[in-house]
Amino acid sequence: MKVLGIETTCDETGAAVIDGAGNILSDAVYSQIALHKKFYGVVPELASRAHAQKVAGIVKEALQYKGVNRNKPVDAVAFAHGPGLPGALLIGKTAALTVAELYNVPIIGVNHLEGHIYACELNKDGAPTPLEYPLIALTVSGGHTELWYVKDVGNYTFLGATRDDAAGEAFDKVAKLLDLGYPGGPMVEKMAKEGKEGAVKFPRPYMKGTWEFSFSGLKTSVSYYLRDAREINKANICLEFQNAVIDTLVRKTVTAAMEYKVKTVAVGGGVSANSALREAMELACKRRRINARFVAKPFCTDNGVMIAYAGLKKIQKTGGKKNCIKTNPSLKIESWNA
Ligand code: KG4
Ligand code: ZN
């Protein structure tokens, strides 16, 4: 069994092939960062055009893995059918349908965020390391910040999401305020390393009594600070902002893990690349004998491997039943047997 995964939800054009055991046979990604940099965010129309331009080449590259059977390079095609940018999603779907028709293989719609969750199992070399269920999943990316109780593969209960900005979006916006460049997460993380603990103070948006998040107020606090402060130390601001985001994410996730009595926490999405977040989550989980799992660094930001892998899991668990390939920009995660 070989599964091709296609990712075009936002600003990465990704395609990858994995085998039935989850080994990665190829992984091709084109990042549009250079294109969106000057706008400090993703411009949907530019994203769609770049996906349209690149997707064929990226898929072709993914299909040239070692030992490929040229008459039938894959047995199924998975693609991210949401959530994401409407035009970008349609380009991924068209590419997936083309390959599926060409080789007469099934096509599977995969939720992009499920891709981020199961990516916690992926290893760069070798077979995946399975997660232990039930678990609490935190998906933190540029577009989403969500907490889920995952009873088993494909069996989800929604706990809460951000009411406004996603954590990654807040990183990007604060980086813009500080003129650090785009995407903001890696820049803020780098700058925070030079910062002094406690030199600046920002609020922790805990949203007590809910599983929800809210990061837009924190971003506003940074902008007011920049407006009013006599001296600006970017490193101190980055460190305190990052600490405020991390404290919030860790506290909510660990509290959920305790309340739902799970032994595992899985953290995925672009922001999960943040080393300070990983360390803080690991420490907080360790204290409570919870196993903290993260996505291996190369697979934190968007890629085709995570879509291929989530697709493989869906095929193995459901046999492709109740499969939906309709694109949906606001797609929510749904249980597979629902
Ligand atoms: O998952 P992803 O590639 O795309 C979406 O699905 O949105 O996540 C991209 C987001 C961006 O907001 C980026 O700033 C953030 O992930 N990010 C980080 C780090 N690396 C990427 N945020 C904090 N620290 C990082 N090291
Ligand atoms: Zn993503």
Side-chain angles (χ1 to χ4, degrees):
M1 165 73 113
K2 309 269 191 305
V3 181
L4 169 70
I6 299 178
E7 159 61 37
T8 62
T9 61
C10 190
D11 59 346
E12 263 94 25
T13 315
V17 176
I18 59 165
D19 69 15
N23 294 297
I24 299 160
L25 305 182
S26 63
D27 177 14
V29 183
Y30 168 73
S31 167
Q32 302 177 4
I33 284 176
L35 197 65
H36 301 292
K37 220 178 173 92
K38 61 174 179 283
F39 304 102
Y40 283 93
V42 178
V43 182
E45 181 60 22
L46 292 183
S48 299
R49 287 172 192 220
H51 284 304
Q53 219 173 48
K54 296 287 176 184
V55 75
I58 289 291
V59 169
K60 187 175 171 191
E61 192 182 327
L63 291 178
Q64 283 166 349
Y65 60 89
K66 208 173 149 202
V68 63
N69 172 354
R70 297 216 176 273
N71 295 321
K72 198 176 188 190
V74 289
D75 303 287
V77 181
F79 80 103
H81 66 129
L85 303 169
L89 290 172
L90 284 172
I91 289 156
K93 177 173 171 173
T94 307
L97 276 170
T98 307
V99 178
E101 282 288 327
L102 196 59
Y103 297 110
N104 196 23
V105 296
I107 174 169
I108 293 112
V110 166
N111 186 304
H112 175 81
L113 297 172
E114 287 181 305
H116 278 311
I117 295 174
Y118 298 118
C120 287
E121 298 190 351
L122 290 170
N123 289 313
K124 204 164 149 278
D125 302 303
T129 311
L131 286 162
E132 276 177 38
Y133 298 86
L135 57 80
I136 293 292
L138 171 70
T139 52
V140 258
S141 69
H144 301 89
T145 302
E146 297 185 355
L147 262 186
W148 289 84
Y149 170 71
V150 186
K151 196 171 173 200
D152 195 2
V153 178
N155 189 341
Y156 311 100
T157 304
F158 175 69
L159 301 185
T162 181
R163 281 192 186 176
D164 38 61
D165 291 355
E169 190 180 353
F171 268 97
D172 294 338
K173 287 178 174 169
V174 165
K176 183 179 179 185
L177 289 172
L178 296 172
D179 202 16
L180 295 179
Y182 175 85
M187 311 289 179
V188 170
E189 177 176 15
K190 192 166 166 222
M191 187 119 245
K193 290 198 173 105
E194 314 294 322
K196 200 171 130 217
E197 289 283 352
V200 187
K201 204 74 203 137
F202 295 131
R204 269 61 178 155
Y206 286 135
M207 308 287 286
K208 254 187 169 172
T210 75
W211 297 120
E212 291 182 320
F213 300 91
S214 167
F215 292 107
S216 88
L218 176 59
K219 169 200 70 193
T220 307
S221 298
V222 176
S223 78
Y224 285 164
Y225 179 86
L226 289 171
R227 184 192 64 190
D228 300 335
R230 276 208 227 128
E231 258 182 72
I232 304 290
N233 181 313
K234 290 188 185 181
N236 290 343
I237 295 170
C238 285
L239 179 61
E240 174 60 8
F241 164 77
Q242 181 174 271
N243 282 345
V245 174
I246 291 174
D247 286 352
T248 309
L249 293 175
V250 170
R251 181 158 154 181
K252 272 258 143 76
T253 308
V254 171
T255 307
M258 301 293 286
E259 205 153 311
Y260 282 83
K261 298 185 172 52
V262 303
K263 289 269 156 265
T264 306
V265 151
V267 188
V271 182
S272 74
N274 188 289
S275 300
L277 168 64
R278 291 162 97 102
E279 277 163 31
M281 188 72 82
E282 202 146 60
L283 190 70
C285 285
K286 206 170 171 186
R287 283 198 189 119
R288 294 163 184 86
R289 294 169 195 269
I290 296 165
N291 190 14
R293 293 281 302 272
F294 305 94
V295 179
K297 287 255 171 122
F299 308 119
C300 286
T301 46
D302 296 347
N303 60 82
V305 181
M306 68 185 201
I307 302 304
Y309 190 55
L312 172 70
K313 283 197 166 287
K314 217 165 176 178
I315 295 164
Q316 285 173 338
K317 182 123 190 195
T318 68
K321 270 180 257 145
K322 288 211 173 186
N323 180 28
C324 173
I325 62 163
K326 201 171 163 200
T327 59
N328 180 353
S330 321
L331 187 68
K332 291 276 280 181
I333 293 180
E334 274 181 14
S335 290
W336 297 347
N337 54 1

